[in-house]
Amino acid sequence: VDISNPVKKEKGVTRVLALDDATNITGWSIFDGKKLITYGKFQIDKENPIERMSILKQWLLNMIIKWNPDKIGIEDIQLQKFSGTGGVESFAVTTYKVLAQLQGVLLEALFSQKKDCIIVHSATWKSFCGITAKTRTDQKRSAQLKVKDWYGVNVTQDEADAICMGKYLAEKYVKNNEMISWG
């Protein structure tokens, strides 16, 4: 992230940074009020999960410097079920633990920067955005199609999730100064 040229926001507009956080690829989006202004993904190709968390924390701190968001949303973690050997359901406990550690690292970083953080469960933003598919793969594709429909852009799955979550945050949590006509 280039922090030498911060992007200014208009006075009276609430800026939201939404993160579909993960230790390998983190999707992100920025909204000014209800308007999507940019999005992307941040990829870390390191083997050690602690190293990835440290890199992601530094990236987040740089994003705060560059974009100066008023609110930051991070996706809540959930224990994923999957079909294991012989059709027996298993849980991705190791992944869950790493994501819990990452969430703690990110929350501490946001607390140290005095940034307002909202933790959003994926079922909440998916319901808000009308993503009703049952399988994870279909939900990811549905999010991409919604973003294409709303904003006219083709995005990765991680970017789509971050944009959908950002849309939810922007429309549910942002109160901007708006002129009211009484005439």
Side-chain angles (χ1 to χ4, degrees):
V1 174
D2 175 18
I3 61 172
S4 62
N5 188 17
V7 176
K8 303 287 185 202
K9 64 181 174 178
E10 294 179 29
K11 186 176 181 175
V13 171
T14 300
R15 180 166 285 171
V16 172
L17 167 60
L19 299 177
D20 173 38
D21 51 326
T23 62
N24 292 311
I25 301 174
T26 294
W28 59 272
S29 67
I30 307 254
F31 281 77
D32 277 357
K34 295 179 182 178
K35 180 182 177 191
L36 174 66
I37 61 169
T38 193
Y39 60 89
K41 65 180 179 175
F42 181 69
Q43 187 165 348
I44 305 167
D45 296 318
K46 299 288 183 184
E47 186 67 31
N48 184 317
I50 302 298
E51 184 178 7
R52 292 193 309 265
M53 287 179 220
S54 178
I55 292 168
L56 187 59
K57 175 184 173 181
Q58 190 57 55
W59 172 84
L60 177 59
L61 293 172
N62 286 336
M63 289 293 282
I64 289 169
I65 292 167
K66 179 174 182 177
W67 294 97
N68 191 25
D70 301 296
K71 294 192 179 297
I72 299 172
I74 61 174
E75 190 172 44
D76 202 0
I77 61 171
Q78 58 188 358
L79 186 56
Q80 298 284 332
K81 246 193 300 191
F82 62 94
S83 294
T85 308
V88 176
E89 284 190 345
S90 298
F91 293 92
V93 175
T94 302
T95 300
Y96 182 76
K97 286 171 59 176
V98 169
L99 290 174
Q101 293 165 350
L102 173 62
Q103 188 176 75
V105 167
L106 297 180
L107 289 173
E108 187 283 325
L110 295 172
F111 178 80
S112 72
Q113 296 297 306
K114 298 177 176 46
K115 288 295 178 179
D116 188 13
C117 179
I118 300 164
I119 297 175
V120 182
H121 195 277
S122 63
T124 302
W125 67 256
K126 287 175 185 174
S127 174
F128 176 83
C129 291
I131 297 171
T132 58
K134 298 294 181 206
T135 68
R136 186 172 189 269
T137 301
D138 290 344
Q139 290 171 357
K140 297 281 188 186
R141 183 68 187 135
S142 179
Q144 288 175 296
L145 292 171
K146 295 278 185 183
V147 168
K148 174 73 171 168
D149 185 47
W150 296 328
Y151 304 107
V153 293
N154 293 313
V155 296
T156 68
Q157 293 178 350
D158 300 293
E159 291 167 333
D161 286 356
I163 291 168
C164 288
M165 188 170 67
K167 180 177 177 62
Y168 165 78
L169 291 165
E171 294 191 16
K172 289 303 239 181
Y173 286 94
V174 172
K175 305 286 187 245
N176 287 314
N177 297 335
E178 296 178 5
M179 295 298 291
I180 299 173
S181 173
W182 298 102

